[in-house]
Amino acid sequence: LKKRFPKVPVVALTASADKVTQNDILQRLELVKPRVFISSFNRPNIHYYIQPKKNVFGQILEYIKKHREDSGIIYALSRASTEDIAGRLHEAVIKAAYYHAGMDAAERSRVQDAFLRDEYRVIVATIAFGMGIDKSNVRFVIHHDVSKNIEGYYQETGRAGRDGLKSDAILFYSPGDIIKLKKFAMIDNNPQQSAISMKKLELMQEYCEGDGCRRQFLMEYFGEPFPAYCGSCDYCLSSLEEKDATLDAQKLLSAVSRTGERYGAGYIIDFLRGSASEKINPAHKELKTYGIGKELKKEEWQWMVQQLLRNKFLSITNDQYATLKLNEKSWQILKGESQIKLVMKKEKAQIGEHDEPEFEQGLLRELKNLRADIADREHVPAYAIVADNTLIELATYLPQKFDELKHITGFGDYKIGKYGAGFLEVIRRHANEQNLESKMHFKKPKKERKESSEKPAANSTQRTTFTMFSEGMDV
């Protein structure tokens, strides 16, 4: 098309391309000296959490029960997993449905529309779901399984919080998921593409296991500088301490050495903690280092391994066995020629540990019910009536008059005339029952758009220019 119509202007758009992909687009479309516009990749209202993959369904259910009024998406890698998770949520009386490419088009469309209308609170889906979704009030995106690359993860988490309100992106991580995905990363008869997929998967693993700000990692992946503290991810919200980890590191590295550098992290940790499991080689149970790490929890040793790998004090093979290997820096620690200090997590930040706006919870539920009724009558998604941030402002500032509604975000003259009376009636009734008064005097004025009639009159040179243009002269 581009060669057939060489004079037609071309615009190339992408939601989340890294630098390599951006350059690839420019080259393959043969764009000559194009103007490139890149907005910030930062979504400051999204809080990022990575949780260990233990009792995942239990953690998901507990989270959703605390956020029953919220809409969310759960991503899983397999179609079977989406059906299983949705079924278990349904049994727990959660309005949930599954969505994947194996369903017929009519059923997929029905589920998608029901989610937009808030008939389903939670959709459990493969990555097939979301490309056409423009639901502004998705409050959480949960990854039951790790994503194949940062771009996919970023796009999927970006379906939360499009209305600008605080939202959560939660990923449940296990190193075992990476091993499974490595098999899918290999593309037959295409070593170049296989290498790219493997590299992207390694970066996804580095993101999950890293000991730094999640947001900084994401921003710098897309080429955008960002400080080392965001204050809204599990790492930055955790209580951290630096400690001399030389002795523990020597124990771990010694275990790797004495077992012949033939095992992965799981085996070495079980060996250090003196596991009685049959998988531990009987000969290894006779070694002096067997069981010398009982004082540390399994999670603490996992954290130790991750940081040693990240700081190049330990190596790992790039195959399905992910075997731990010693390197030159490892031997410096073992011989006492080098010390190591690591940042250790004292207490991991829990999902949702942040301040919420002070609003009337009961009133917010009533307002959401009213909005749902209106949306049902008009056959449109609930957020098309008014957005969640509008309802939160109503439940916070308790406007009592039509004039006060003008100062609420999302209420212009049209919506005040159409919906104002209904919302004011609910607010007034709640305020009377709870003996509450309007708090509009605390409300900061919203930025008003200037109407065209309010624009300053054209000056003489502008009028002259317009006249000349009207007479057919070119710019």
Side-chain angles (χ1 to χ4, degrees):
L1 279 172
K2 191 164 179 298
K3 290 176 180 175
R4 180 82 177 265
F5 304 102
K7 295 184 179 180
V8 175
V10 173
V11 58
L13 306 169
T14 174
S16 54
D18 59 14
K19 285 287 185 184
V20 175
T21 311
Q22 291 171 26
N23 292 333
D24 195 42
I25 291 168
L26 300 180
Q27 291 171 11
R28 291 182 181 273
L29 292 181
E30 298 179 10
L31 301 178
V32 181
K33 294 182 180 179
R35 296 183 68 186
V36 179
F37 301 87
I38 303 175
S39 62
S40 173
F41 284 90
N42 189 23
R43 296 287 302 279
N45 61 311
I46 297 181
H47 291 227
Y48 298 96
Y49 299 90
I50 296 178
Q51 301 289 107
K53 201 167 188 180
K54 290 184 176 180
N55 184 25
V56 179
F57 181 77
Q59 291 192 64
I60 290 174
L61 183 59
E62 182 181 1
Y63 177 87
I64 292 175
K65 283 182 175 179
K66 291 179 181 177
H67 300 80
R68 279 191 178 273
E69 301 298 316
D70 295 337
S71 293
I73 303 170
I74 300 172
Y75 284 107
L77 281 178
S78 73
R79 298 174 184 181
S81 291
T82 66
E83 295 183 15
D84 176 61
I85 296 165
R88 294 172 72 185
L89 287 174
H90 188 72
E91 289 173 4
V93 200
I94 304 293
K95 294 179 180 177
Y98 60 85
Y99 183 109
H100 56 66
M103 300 160 61
D104 64 68
E107 179 62 9
R108 289 203 309 270
S109 180
R110 184 195 70 78
V111 170
Q112 183 169 304
D113 290 343
F115 181 59
L116 289 173
R117 293 195 303 270
D118 285 335
E119 291 176 16
Y120 292 125
R121 288 292 181 188
V122 180
I123 294 294
V124 190
T126 58
I127 57 173
F129 181 79
M131 295 304 290
I133 292 296
D134 187 22
K135 183 175 170 64
S136 65
N137 64 336
V138 174
R139 291 274 74 83
F140 60 87
V141 169
I142 295 174
H143 282 83
H144 182 274
D145 305 296
V146 72
S147 299
K148 297 176 183 178
N149 52 56
I150 296 289
E151 290 91 340
Y153 169 76
Y154 176 82
Q155 274 197 353
E156 288 147 22
T157 59
R159 287 166 192 147
R162 291 185 175 180
D163 54 8
L165 295 180
K166 186 262 143 197
S167 304
D168 290 330
I170 305 157
L171 185 153
F172 290 98
Y173 174 72
S174 165
D177 284 349
I178 297 293
I179 295 172
K180 291 176 187 175
L181 287 174
K182 282 182 178 179
K183 299 174 184 176
F184 299 109
M186 305 307 293
I187 300 168
D188 292 340
N189 303 316
N190 194 336
Q192 185 179 7
Q193 191 59 45
S194 296
I196 292 172
S197 298
M198 284 293 289
K199 181 60 178 175
K200 287 181 178 291
L201 183 57
E202 287 170 10
L203 286 167
M204 191 71 220
Q205 181 176 12
E206 189 177 334
Y207 170 73
C208 294
E209 296 182 353
D211 59 338
C213 173
R214 311 291 185 193
R215 192 181 306 277
Q216 182 192 43
F217 190 103
L218 292 175
M219 296 304 98
E220 293 191 347
Y221 178 86
F222 291 112
E224 182 176 336
F226 196 86
Y229 178 83
C230 72
S232 54
C233 73
D234 63 332
Y235 182 85
C236 293
L237 290 169
S238 293
S239 179
L240 306 172
E241 66 174 353
E242 186 179 67
K243 78 168 200 174
D244 187 334
T246 306
L247 182 59
D248 289 334
Q250 287 174 333
K251 290 178 181 179
L252 193 148
L253 296 172
S254 178
V256 173
S257 174
R258 288 177 180 272
T259 54
E261 299 180 66
R262 296 173 50 211
Y263 299 92
Y267 183 93
I268 296 298
I269 291 170
D270 285 344
F271 170 82
L272 282 167
R273 300 189 73 246
S275 171
S277 170
E278 293 180 2
K279 75 175 183 179
I280 300 294
N281 186 324
H284 290 166
K285 294 182 180 180
E286 303 300 320
L287 297 173
K288 289 182 179 180
T289 42
Y290 173 66
I292 62 170
K294 291 180 180 178
E295 74 282 356
L296 293 184
K297 296 177 181 177
K298 189 172 185 177
E299 293 79 8
E300 292 176 295
W301 281 118
Q302 289 172 337
W303 179 250
M304 172 77 69
V305 171
Q306 290 170 16
Q307 290 213 62
L308 288 174
L309 289 170
R310 185 176 177 82
N311 291 288
K312 313 300 183 188
F313 292 111
L314 186 62
S315 302
I316 190 168
T317 59
N318 189 23
D319 56 33
Q320 68 182 90
Y321 302 108
T323 306
L324 297 180
K325 299 284 186 181
L326 302 181
N327 56 35
E328 186 177 343
K329 292 178 76 174
S330 307
W331 284 110
Q332 288 175 357
I333 294 173
L334 276 172
K335 293 175 182 177
E337 297 171 357
S338 175
Q339 287 190 322
I340 177 172
K341 287 190 174 182
L342 297 179
V343 175
M344 305 301 289
K345 290 185 178 180
K346 292 165 65 179
E347 185 177 345
K348 189 173 179 65
Q350 296 302 305
I351 299 166
E353 284 185 354
H354 38 66
D355 295 332
E356 294 287 354
E358 294 181 7
F359 53 80
E360 293 288 314
Q361 294 277 0
L363 175 57
L364 183 62
R365 284 194 292 272
E366 292 182 55
L367 293 172
K368 283 187 174 182
N369 290 337
L370 173 61
R371 182 181 64 173
D373 291 341
I374 297 171
D376 194 47
R377 287 199 303 270
E378 298 189 8
H379 305 290
V380 297
Y383 64 82
I385 305 301
V386 289
D388 277 16
N389 59 335
T390 299
L391 297 186
I392 288 175
E393 284 195 19
L394 292 175
T396 302
Y397 299 107
L398 309 174
Q400 310 278 310
K401 305 171 185 174
F402 282 97
D403 283 348
E404 292 180 333
L405 277 182
K406 293 180 180 179
H407 302 290
I408 297 294
T409 303
F411 265 114
D413 290 339
Y414 172 77
K415 288 198 174 181
I416 289 174
K418 191 171 185 181
Y419 307 124
F423 283 105
L424 284 178
E425 182 184 350
V426 172
I427 295 167
R428 287 169 183 158
R429 184 174 65 247
H430 181 88
N432 287 334
E433 290 173 356
Q434 303 297 322
N435 197 24
L436 300 171
E437 296 181 356
S438 170
K439 299 178 183 177
M440 288 300 295
H441 52 287
F442 292 116
K443 177 82 169 67
K444 292 180 181 178
K446 68 177 181 180
K447 293 180 180 178
E448 298 287 351
R449 288 184 185 175
K450 289 187 177 180
E451 300 295 333
S452 56
S453 60
E454 295 176 0
K455 292 180 180 178
N459 61 35
S460 59
T461 61
Q462 290 171 334
R463 283 197 301 272
T464 303
T465 302
F466 181 69
T467 301
M468 294 167 73
F469 183 75
S470 301
E471 291 172 354
M473 299 182 187
D474 62 23
V475 175

